[in-house]
Amino acid sequence: MRRAAPALGLFAAARLTGLLVVCLWAEHIGRSPGQLLTRSWDSTWYTRIAAEGYGHTLHFADGAVHSDLAFFPLYPGLVRAATTVLPVGGGTAALLISWAAAAVAAFGIHLLGERLHGRTAATVLVLLWGLLPHSVVFSIAYTEPLLTACAALSLYAVLTGRWLWAGSLAALAGLARPNGVAVAAAVCVAAAYELWRRRGDAPGRLWAGAIVAPLGWGGYVLWVGVRTGDPLAGYFAVQRGWRSRFDFGVDALRTVRDIVLRPAELATTATALLVGAAVLLFALLVVDRETRPPLPVLVYTGVLLLITVGGAGFFESKPRFLLPAFPLLLPAACALAKARPRAAIVVIAALAGLSCCYGTYLLTLAPPPL
């Protein structure tokens, strides 16, 4: 914890600055900062589930059906627990959990980064993660911080041979968000490789970690299927009701084509650029021997990227879906750690300005859902 203190301090400063800018701008345009932080887009679904349980569905004239079964249960469950033991409302509890999860995620990212590339690179990695264009999400009642916390600690547990911890944290990640399945994939691939390397002669805890890892995601998908009357396909039918499906990137390519052919919203254009940058960063992560991470980290990042790029629907949300893909920042973190201090400060300052301004725009002005 002492080694991570500078990174956590810088992360807290970055997020508090972004939060202050959002609140000041919200007051300036006559909007409630509290409502923005706790009642924006998906936040209302999570707090409703925490207060009332599952069972809320909206039907639209175009045939879309929005069921709250699309939202995984770990975050609203934690919100419900917090409101039970603390004298706070659902919105406040949701914010407290998100902020605490973001801090734990920053600590887990530092642990992993320090193990791979040393303390300085780890500190820069945490700061870069806190200054991403969509990092305003870490300050509102959303689930990305919770998934990232589980993922970072699970990956660290894999790299240090703590298989039961790795599997249990992967199971929690699978209960946090749909793309939490990427953590289970990383743990299972790492376990399979370890079994192959040892010719099957592996301790029971390795088998246990691999078995436990997918239970969170698989268990919830099966529960939704049973509840909807179709155990295997029910959850995916719920997602189709939200116009969300996996089409190998066809819908995303059509959106990019439309951006090129006609004017588009700033958020839509920025999404195309950010997702393209993520693809390039992953390619760099794979080919650069100096910064290439171990297999489980690569698998985790690759699966997250595949789910994001190949998914159809909610195009402007794709950069948010990639927030847990912090290993994409490893090459940049290593480069800045070796750069001259003045150059590194200029880059960090520019990213901080972009993060504050763009995050405020996303939360207060952008028409598409975050």
Side-chain angles (χ1 to χ4, degrees):
M1 183 63 75
R2 286 195 301 271
R3 294 195 304 274
L8 297 179
L10 289 170
F11 176 78
R15 295 313 326 132
L16 287 173
T17 302
L19 183 61
L20 178 61
V21 172
V22 167
C23 292
L24 290 175
W25 180 253
E27 292 285 357
H28 175 71
I29 62 176
R31 299 187 65 179
S32 166
Q35 288 291 315
L36 281 174
L37 298 177
T38 62
R39 306 288 294 176
S40 291
W41 306 114
D42 291 353
S43 300
T44 58
W45 288 91
Y46 288 119
T47 52
R48 182 192 293 271
I49 294 169
E52 303 174 8
Y54 286 99
H56 184 67
T57 303
L58 297 177
H59 297 266
F60 296 87
D62 63 355
V65 179
H66 290 184
S67 167
D68 58 10
L69 293 173
F71 297 91
F72 278 51
L74 180 60
Y75 183 63
L78 292 174
V79 173
R80 180 68 172 266
T83 57
T84 302
V85 300
L86 297 175
V88 296
T92 301
L95 278 185
L96 291 175
I97 290 169
S98 291
W99 293 350
V104 174
F107 177 65
I109 291 171
H110 186 274
L111 280 176
L112 194 65
E114 185 180 34
R115 181 174 180 85
L116 295 177
H117 299 291
R119 184 178 178 184
T120 302
T123 300
V124 177
L125 178 64
V126 171
L127 182 56
L128 289 178
W129 185 67
L131 293 176
L132 287 171
H134 280 65
S135 59
V136 69
V137 171
F138 304 148
S139 301
I140 64 178
Y142 264 51
T143 54
E144 277 72 20
L146 184 60
L147 171 58
T148 309
C150 294
L153 293 175
S154 178
L155 291 173
Y156 180 76
V158 169
L159 298 185
T160 54
R162 297 174 171 90
W163 292 101
L164 283 175
W165 276 107
S168 300
L169 288 162
L172 290 177
L175 289 170
R177 286 192 53 77
N179 53 355
V181 70
V183 189
V187 173
C188 290
V189 168
Y193 174 77
E194 192 68 14
L195 287 169
W196 174 81
R197 191 177 66 85
R198 299 188 184 192
R199 300 297 188 269
D201 183 19
R205 60 181 179 275
L206 191 153
W207 287 97
I211 292 171
V212 169
L215 292 183
W217 186 88
Y220 182 69
V221 168
L222 182 61
W223 179 80
V224 172
V226 171
R227 179 160 175 156
T228 58
D230 188 349
L232 297 181
Y235 169 77
F236 303 101
V238 169
Q239 287 288 356
R240 286 195 299 273
W242 282 80
R243 300 289 193 262
S244 179
R245 65 190 188 284
F246 189 83
D247 67 351
F248 298 94
V250 173
D251 183 70
L253 289 174
R254 288 173 180 165
T255 304
V256 172
R257 179 200 60 190
D258 293 341
I259 294 171
V260 173
L261 295 177
R262 61 182 64 92
E265 292 285 347
L266 172 60
T268 305
T269 304
T271 293
L273 295 174
L274 290 170
V275 173
V279 173
L280 292 176
L281 285 173
F282 183 72
L284 180 61
L285 196 68
V286 173
V287 302
D288 189 350
R289 293 183 179 181
E290 185 177 350
T291 59
R292 183 191 302 157
L295 179 63
V297 180
L298 271 179
V299 170
Y300 164 73
T301 311
V303 173
L304 274 181
L305 188 61
L306 177 64
I307 292 172
T308 301
V309 174
F314 300 99
F315 180 78
E316 289 79 9
S317 297
K318 289 183 183 293
R320 172 169 66 84
F321 299 157
L322 285 172
L323 285 174
F326 61 89
L328 291 174
L329 301 171
L330 280 170
C334 291
L336 284 175
K338 297 176 182 178
R340 294 179 179 180
R342 182 177 299 178
I345 290 172
V346 170
V347 172
I348 293 297
L351 291 175
L354 173 64
S355 175
C356 290
C357 294
Y358 189 67
T360 302
Y361 160 77
L362 286 174
L363 200 56
T364 61
L365 299 174
L370 179 60

